Amino acid sequence: MKQVKKLTVIASLALLLTACSKPPSESIVESLIEAQYEQTDKVIEDAVANASNDKMAKTMSNMMERMMPRLERIDNINCDNTEGWNNYICTADITQTIAGTSRIDKTRFNVSKVNGEWVLGE
């Protein structure tokens, strides 16, 4: 009987903890997405800077730079709890420009809290 009581208490606590988990705010999700784009921009900027005077390398770097998506806006952020504690599947409408063409993509991604900080998942 004691084991049944313990299991009931553990199950109740698990439900309570899951129900109390709070999703990341829209501003947090937006800043995570922006940071991802900034990181990509930095990689491209470094590649262009490292192309030195090699004409072919500069041409390729400049082409890569034009083809990389540029973030314009993030709208309609929504996060739903998924398995585990502080793990969420989020969606957002991301407006970006690629090669001069603007488009809106409905994007789905994971957001998790790791060591007290929100991170984008894979």
Side-chain angles (χ1 to χ4, degrees):
M1 193 62 158
K2 279 187 175 183
Q3 287 182 347
V4 172
K5 219 176 197 181
K6 281 183 184 179
L7 287 174
T8 304
V9 169
I10 290 171
S12 297
L13 283 174
L15 281 172
L16 179 64
L17 290 175
T18 302
C20 292
S21 178
K22 186 176 177 185
S25 68
E26 285 188 16
S27 63
I28 288 173
V29 173
E30 191 169 335
S31 67
L32 290 172
I33 294 168
E34 288 170 347
Q36 188 76 29
Y37 275 84
E38 288 168 6
Q39 184 178 15
T40 302
D41 289 346
K42 176 78 171 113
V43 169
I44 295 302
E45 287 171 9
D46 289 349
V48 170
N50 290 329
S52 66
N53 290 329
D54 182 355
K55 188 175 181 177
M56 178 62 112
K58 277 191 170 190
T59 301
M60 292 300 290
S61 296
N62 288 332
M63 184 177 73
M64 283 176 33
E65 187 175 29
R66 286 190 307 274
M67 296 302 292
M68 292 306 295
R70 298 282 177 206
L71 181 63
E72 291 179 37
R73 272 193 0 234
I74 304 167
D75 296 308
N76 302 321
I77 297 171
N78 182 44
C79 295
D80 294 317
N81 196 292
T82 185
E83 63 208 45
W85 174 255
N86 284 327
N87 292 312
Y88 295 86
I89 293 178
C90 300
T91 57
D93 295 334
I94 297 180
T95 306
Q96 58 186 355
T97 300
I98 301 174
T101 304
S102 181
R103 69 185 216 192
I104 300 172
D105 293 310
K106 182 76 158 181
T107 307
R108 183 179 170 151
F109 47 92
N110 295 322
V111 176
S112 302
K113 198 167 208 177
V114 178
N115 296 327
E117 292 192 30
W118 291 106
V119 296
L120 280 179
E122 297 178 11

